Amino acid sequence: NIWGDVCRQKAMWLDLILTMIHCPPGVTAEIVLDTMGNIIVYRAESLFLVFNITRIYLLLRVCKEQVLLSLPIRFTISKFSGVSFGWIFAFKHLLEGWSAVVNLSILWCMLILVSGYGLRIFEFSACELSTTDSPSCHLHNASRWSLPGTAEFDSHNPEMLKINTVLWCFFITSTSVGYGDFYATTHFGRTVSGVVTFLGIAFVSLLTAALTNALQLNGEENKAFLIAEREKAKLRLPEKAATYLQLWYKTVTRRPLDGLNVLNIRREFFETLA
């Protein structure tokens, strides 16, 4: 039964949830939340927009399928080897060589763009819109906010509406630096910041590992390096041999060694021969 097999696919239901749930055109609502004693009003279409951003997951699926399509007879190979060609295999394949640096950088930029836009929505109160008629917007703690240990401040921060500001905020957050010049003041904003911090640390670690792996010599480069070292040793061999013969002659004739380091000369000579 084809339809039965399709309905049993968990990925299909996940795709349906991500693509079908949305705010209908022309429909709006105002959602009032109390965040740490401060009133913030969200528009329903704004929150649905943040949820719809998760559709970027579909782009990741396309990347996974593109990676797996480059592997011939992968189903036969998977059957005989027992290796599952899925998300984990595709992700590991993308982390090979210098392409890993490029792929991780792209994913990192996508994380900053998506989370930055989410922060911009979560930190903006709909009370600043002229079309908002919520009674809660007339309360004092809707226009003037306060956080533990801080004085009251204006709930409307025009800097947080600038996309370059939120991108800078999440770039330094993802690198675990955080200068404190911009920070989230709502529960949703802090949740996004926490997720970005965790994922940022993971991306920095993976990028460092990818750079380390990419900068290592591969098999052919290592073979060429050993050949070059052997040729350098051949060029040094006459000089080391002459020094060793001089040491042998002075030792046999019992002449002064004139500060010659016997152990070093012998070690360097035999290392050259090796």
Side-chain angles (χ1 to χ4, degrees), residues 3-220:
W3 286 107
D5 294 338
V6 171
C7 292
R8 282 191 290 269
Q9 294 291 327
K10 297 179 180 179
M12 186 271 294
W13 292 107
L14 178 61
D15 292 347
L16 286 177
I17 293 174
L18 293 179
T19 55
M20 296 185 64
I21 298 179
H22 65 282
C23 186
V27 176
T28 185
E30 295 170 354
I31 302 172
V32 182
L33 296 178
D34 186 316
T35 170
M36 294 175 285
N38 305 314
I39 298 297
I40 185 169
V41 180
Y42 292 117
R43 299 295 285 266
E45 57 268 30
S46 298
L47 296 181
F48 271 102
L49 176 60
V50 175
F51 178 80
N52 295 148
I53 291 177
T54 57
R55 294 177 182 177
I56 199 173
Y57 152 81
L58 300 176
L59 179 60
L60 299 179
R61 284 191 59 188
V62 172
C63 295
K64 184 201 76 168
E65 294 300 330
Q66 187 65 30
V67 170
L68 297 182
L69 283 175
S70 63
L71 305 175
I73 59 172
R74 63 181 186 278
F75 296 108
T76 304
I77 297 174
S78 176
K79 181 178 179 180
F80 283 96
S81 64
V83 177
S84 176
F85 291 98
W87 280 101
I88 296 178
F89 181 88
F91 184 70
K92 290 180 179 179
H93 182 73
L94 291 174
L95 296 182
E96 290 185 343
W98 281 103
S99 62
V101 179
V102 177
N103 294 330
L104 286 173
S105 300
I106 293 174
L107 288 175
W108 196 355
C109 291
M110 290 175 57
L111 170 67
I112 294 175
L113 285 172
V114 173
S115 57
Y117 193 75
L119 178 67
R120 183 175 181 268
I121 292 177
F122 288 140
E123 292 296 306
F124 178 74
S125 177
C127 292
E128 302 299 325
L129 301 175
S130 59
T131 56
T132 302
D133 55 1
S134 174
S136 300
C137 290
H138 301 291
L139 299 176
H140 175 73
N141 57 346
S143 58
R144 300 289 296 175
W145 288 358
S146 63
L147 295 174
T150 64
E152 285 190 352
F153 56 92
D154 192 351
S155 62
H156 176 60
N157 185 359
E159 287 296 324
M160 294 303 290
L161 296 180
K162 298 178 180 178
I163 192 64
N164 59 326
T165 299
V166 292
L167 292 181
W168 163 253
C169 176
F170 270 160
F171 173 73
I172 60 176
T173 300
S174 64
T175 56
S176 70
V177 178
Y179 293 113
D181 46 356
F182 301 104
Y183 53 89
T185 57
T186 63
H187 288 316
F188 286 152
R190 291 186 173 188
T191 300
V192 174
S193 299
V195 173
V196 170
T197 301
F198 177 78
L199 293 178
I201 294 174
F203 274 118
V204 170
S205 303
L206 288 173
L207 188 58
T208 302
L211 279 172
T212 303
N213 185 57
L215 291 174
Q216 290 182 350
L217 298 178
N218 57 34
E220 295 298 325

